[in-house]
Amino acid sequence: MKKDLSKVRNIGISAHIDSGKTTLTERVLFYTQRIHAIHEVRGKDGVGATMDSMELEKERGITIQSAATYCNWKDHDINIIDTPGHVDFTIEVERALRVLDGAVLILCSVGGVQSQSITVNRQMTRYKVPRIAFINKCDRTGANPFRVTGQLRDKLDLNAVMMQLPIGLENDMEGIIDLVTMKAVYFDGDQGENIRIEEIPDNLRDDAEEKREELLDAVSMFSDDLMEAMLEEEAIPEEMIHEAIRKGTLALELTPVLIGSAYKNKGVQLLLDAVNGYLPCPTDIENIALDLDNGEEEIAVSNDPDDKMVALAFKLEDGRYGQLTYIRTYQGTINKGDTMINSRTGKKVKIGRLVRMHADEMEEIESAGSGDIIALFGVDCASGDTFCSGGLNWSMSSMHVPAPVISLAINPVDNKAQVNMSKALNRFTKEDPTFKTFVDHETNETIISGMGELHLEVYIERMKREYKAEVEVGAPQVAYRETILQKAEFDYTHKKQTGGSGQFGRVAGYLEPIEESDYEFVDNIVGGVIPREFITSCDKGFQKSLAKGTLTGSPITGIRAVINDGSFHAVDSSDVAFQMASIGGFKQGYAKANPVIMEPIMKVAVEGPSEFQGAVMGSLNQRRGVIIGTFEEGNYTVVEAEIPLSEMFGYSTTLRSLTQGKAEFTMEFSTYKQVPKSISDDLIKAFQEQKKDS
């Protein structure tokens, strides 16, 4: 039996941290009879919300990983992904939005549009995801859905239109007025499961009439029939209004606003009706694949279950039963036992088990049609890989992966921890494209990098809990360099006379600074004062000398070594003798050439609301930053600066507290520059003390 794709919805639930996403998903699962009891996020009953299945999530009361589930509401199949709200886990939102057709943007009725609401909205716009807004927590003191709707227009630039009005607010919230049907809706029963529809209370009739006019004005832009009916003052069928709202939402030109309180079980069923009514089905969205056999020509996927199969792996997880790969199917049908081809590697993949996910539980299925979100077991792939049936070589466009901005050094406490740490890092880097790890060869430390301090803290905590890998965390050492500022000559003789053959070699010349490369060797020897076979020995000696400078033991860079004189001994000269002579000559010249310490300078771009521009610039100046420029983008400002890496540790926390969490920054390596004298003195002193201790 062919599945009716017009009755499939793939939606994401996104919002700022603590707006009630997971609580809302819990209610959705309850009303669609996927679960039979409601549990709260900070579970006093010790159970915790269904979608927060990780121990850490239950403890902290935050969502760390996006979780997938599905349910059925009024004959519509709804696949839901509940995403984290914290900026550090932004990749979870990115990858969810990449494969979803529509989204629900949740806002707190008191907090309104907050920093992560702005980020999430920007991500939805990037992937052209139609959205409806749900103003939650209307039962809280200070709730004001009208103000929040105004913020949606002003701060997010959305054409936000209220579909509902509250009957009472804060503690007095009783129900909701539906402006399309012009009825009052009440939610009775212990858990709001019994819906009672009545006439609008007299004291709210005028407000409702006024708001309905606003609603009709806004949506009539998307329907000529509706506009005509309004001009002729005819009765307007509900279906006509619904069609116009859907058309405006799909065109990304209208954002319907619904209200309620998930915690108090009010308004959730009406939100589900809006998901069915206004958000797109898979065939409403044009998804593009690139044909790798034809110069990456763009092709629209068909969504037809009878076509060849195309699916995108958008998230990997190491579950209890091995690697779990979440995929979104775009066309064709996938059956248990089928063979697919990974278009990135060209390898064949056999489908062993197909499952539908419900948080961390799963249900075995035999097949899945196009437009579905399901999971596979035991498939070796990377996040972002495309799977196709034989004969197709297509790739779905990949998602935007932000670069990591903060690093920490971690050291295992013993050998067992070392083995477990390697396993953990291997898994985390595979699962999370924003989490990177490498070994710094200069300091021999394992460095982990991520999107923020909480991001890394969670991974360190998961290493300890899930892998029993005890690690010590330290600030990473900055990779300093040394160089010289002036030309200096050297003339050095290496002599060693012991029993048997001795060693003899003399080299003379000069060192000078260069900018275009790290090291250059120039041979200006004339008349064979150093035989040809020993010239490369001199070069090797200089290169060995570059490994460790005398000021801080850092690598030396930006030096040209020129040899123009020397002498040799017919018996005692050798490869080793000339290498030693060059090392001595280099040390002699280096000490006279005014050596200095260089530090890495990062190019930093801070993006946030214009109201915080002064505070942001002040914070960058305090960190020895040089402001390069500022750019306005609507009511957003981007400040670009160059700042030493050593000053950037802990900056994400400082920035969040300065800007109420509304700004974010990116950082990339730019160049090396000389360290100021006061800092240079401290670094040299620390190095000398370290040498004494060792």
Side-chain angles (χ1 to χ4, degrees), residues 123-136:
Q123 290 169 321
M124 288 178 186
T125 307
R126 181 186 294 132
Y127 294 111
K128 299 186 175 58
V129 177
R131 72 217 73 162
I132 52 183
F134 180 70
I135 300 176
N136 192 19

Side-chain angles (χ1 to χ4, degrees), residues 6-13 21 23-35 69-81 103-104 106 132-134 163-164 176 178 185 187 191-193 195 242 246 256-260 262 265-280:
S6 66
K7 295 201 166 173
V8 174
R9 298 288 179 272
N10 291 318
I11 63 162
I13 296 189
K21 293 181 297 302
T23 305
L24 176 73
T25 312
E26 190 82 356
R27 300 306 185 272
V28 166
L29 295 176
F30 177 75
Y31 296 130
T32 56
Q33 297 183 330
R34 289 287 289 126
I35 56 174
T69 187
Y70 71 98
C71 56
N72 187 287
W73 179 253
K74 296 184 180 174
D75 289 334
H76 285 64
D77 289 329
I78 305 175
N79 289 311
I80 302 173
I81 297 184
V104 178
I106 303 186
I132 52 183
F134 180 70
M163 304 278 135
Q164 301 171 341
I176 286 164
D178 186 329
V185 184
F187 305 89
Q191 288 165 327
E193 62 270 40
I195 294 176
H242 286 309
R246 180 176 174 81
V257 177
L258 293 96
I259 58 174
N265 311 313
K266 289 181 172 42
V268 178
Q269 296 96 321
L270 300 186
L271 175 64
L272 282 166
D273 289 342
V275 165
N276 287 356
Y278 308 142
L279 287 181

Side-chain angles (χ1 to χ4, degrees), residues 389-542:
S389 296
L392 279 190
N393 190 14
W394 291 5
S395 172
M396 300 301 295
S397 57
S398 61
M399 60 195 166
H400 168 77
V401 177
V405 293
I406 182 171
S407 305
L408 284 175
I410 55 172
N411 287 309
V413 291
D414 53 31
N415 279 350
K416 190 178 167 211
Q418 169 82 48
V419 174
N420 292 346
M421 181 181 91
S422 301
K423 282 184 193 163
L425 293 179
N426 212 359
R427 171 185 161 190
F428 298 153
T429 48
K430 204 170 178 187
E431 283 182 13
D432 183 349
T434 57
F435 179 74
K436 301 265 192 285
T437 175
F438 66 95
V439 173
D440 186 329
H441 294 297
E442 288 170 22
T443 60
N444 230 358
E445 292 175 313
T446 301
I447 307 288
I448 55 172
S449 317
M451 299 308 297
E453 275 146 295
L454 177 65
H455 189 202
L456 297 184
E457 200 180 296
V458 163
Y459 275 124
I460 289 164
E461 191 61 35
R462 282 183 65 190
M463 264 183 238
K464 290 178 182 170
R465 289 184 185 205
E466 294 170 33
Y467 286 89
K468 306 283 182 284
E470 283 297 326
V471 294
E472 288 169 348
V473 180
Q477 293 176 18
V478 177
Y480 290 106
R481 295 280 184 273
E482 293 183 25
T483 191
I484 55 172
L485 296 183
Q486 66 192 49
K487 182 177 170 182
E489 295 188 346
F490 60 85
D491 184 343
Y492 186 82
T493 306
H494 172 69
K495 252 195 224 167
K496 198 169 183 198
Q497 214 63 52
T498 53
S501 63
Q503 289 181 5
F504 178 88
R506 171 179 161 257
V507 290
Y510 58 88
L511 303 177
E512 63 182 356
I514 51 166
E515 282 184 13
E516 53 281 4
S517 68
D518 287 344
Y519 166 71
E520 201 179 297
F521 173 67
V522 180
D523 165 22
N524 281 347
I525 294 293
V526 285
V529 289
I530 297 177
R532 297 254 51 83
E533 66 265 27
F534 297 137
I535 300 294
T536 51
S537 309
C538 298
D539 187 10
K540 276 188 205 159
F542 290 134

Side-chain angles (χ1 to χ4, degrees), residues 165-168 172-177 184-187 259-260 266-267:
L165 287 182
I167 301 174
D172 306 327
M173 188 186 184
E174 292 172 37
I176 286 164
I177 295 170
V185 184
Y186 298 92
F187 305 89
I259 58 174
K266 289 181 172 42

Side-chain angles (χ1 to χ4, degrees), residues 49-63:
T50 308
M51 301 304 275
D52 284 349
S53 53
M54 198 192 290
E55 275 307 313
L56 265 175
E57 294 180 313
K58 289 177 181 170
E59 269 177 39
R60 290 175 182 242
I62 61 170
T63 303

Side-chain angles (χ1 to χ4, degrees), residues 215-227:
L215 166 65
L216 292 176
D217 278 349
V219 301
S220 63
M221 305 298 290
F222 305 101
S223 166
D224 295 342
D225 295 347
L226 178 57
M227 194 172 272

Side-chain angles (χ1 to χ4, degrees), residues 318-349:
D318 209 342
R320 286 174 289 191
Y321 314 104
Q323 181 173 304
L324 190 62
T325 306
Y326 286 82
I327 63 166
R328 155 80 200 254
T329 52
Y330 286 97
Q331 67 178 45
T333 303
I334 182 169
N335 301 301
K336 206 168 168 177
D338 280 0
T339 299
M340 304 185 300
I341 291 167
N342 182 333
S343 64
R344 180 179 62 89
T345 62
K347 286 184 183 166
K348 286 187 176 177
V349 173

